[in-house]
Amino acid sequence: TPGSAEGTVVRILPIDVYGNNETTTTFDVARGIYPAAAAGASIINLSLGSDSNSSFLYRLIQEVSNQGVLVIAAAGNQPVATPVYPAAYPEVLAVTAGDRQGRIAPYANHGDFVDVIAPGTAVVQFESRAYLGTGTSYASAYVSGVAAGLVTGSGQTATEAAATLRDRLG
């Protein structure tokens, strides 16, 4: 039926790059991107970031982007304009968080590398409890969902969806 999980063409492929750790490595992030692209993902959400620029990760993101995959990443949760990676790579759609008035949230990164702004607050259900979360990771996930809707609902390519998002949410 329309709107049900069985009726949608959007599929989510969760890949855990953290395991039981609070942090992850560039190599583990790459180990997540590669199988997602190999499995046919048209959109890859990276609700994570670091101030470290990695040529290894950048080359992989360039490769999957050249294959038509849209990579979306969180811009960071420090109110600075310093680039956060992988969001700061030109091939990545960098997402910051907005407040209720549509302004950049007081905790969210800003700067020339940021492409779009989206809601940075979400209620997450886990083990029959509701949790309120904030951050650019939530905004990145939101934009990834909108991108998936553009790709499946309007037939846009991932590249066209990125352009639409930059135009409407930028």
Side-chain angles (χ1 to χ4, degrees):
T1 61
S4 70
E6 297 83 28
T8 183
V9 295
V10 173
R11 300 287 180 253
I12 297 174
L13 174 63
I15 297 176
D16 183 2
V17 299
Y18 283 88
N20 292 325
N21 302 312
E22 289 186 25
T23 61
T24 190
T25 66
T26 299
F27 183 73
D28 287 334
V29 172
R31 283 185 14 175
I33 293 171
Y34 184 79
S42 58
I43 300 164
I44 295 176
N45 177 59
L46 299 172
S47 288
L48 51 78
S50 168
D51 58 358
S52 297
N53 183 356
S54 164
S55 60
F56 168 68
L57 184 60
Y58 182 43
R59 284 192 306 273
L60 178 59
I61 288 174
Q62 285 177 312
E63 182 180 317
V64 299
S65 294
N66 288 338
Q67 296 170 4
V69 176
L70 171 56
V71 179
I72 299 171
N77 297 322
Q78 299 172 339
V80 297
T82 309
V84 170
Y85 299 93
Y89 297 133
E91 292 80 5
V92 175
L93 187 69
V95 183
T96 196
D99 62 16
R100 289 181 181 208
Q101 289 74 39
R103 297 182 302 251
I104 293 177
Y107 58 80
N109 286 24
H110 55 277
D112 292 342
F113 76 99
V114 174
D115 295 302
V116 298
I117 185 172
T121 304
V123 176
V124 178
Q125 299 289 331
F126 180 70
E127 295 182 352
S128 303
R129 296 191 62 189
Y131 298 89
L132 178 65
T134 60
T136 61
S137 290
Y138 293 96
S140 178
Y142 178 91
V143 170
S144 295
V146 173
L150 290 170
V151 169
T152 60
S154 68
Q156 292 186 12
T157 66
T159 303
E160 292 167 338
T164 299
L165 291 166
R166 280 185 178 99
D167 182 51
R168 296 190 182 162
L169 301 177

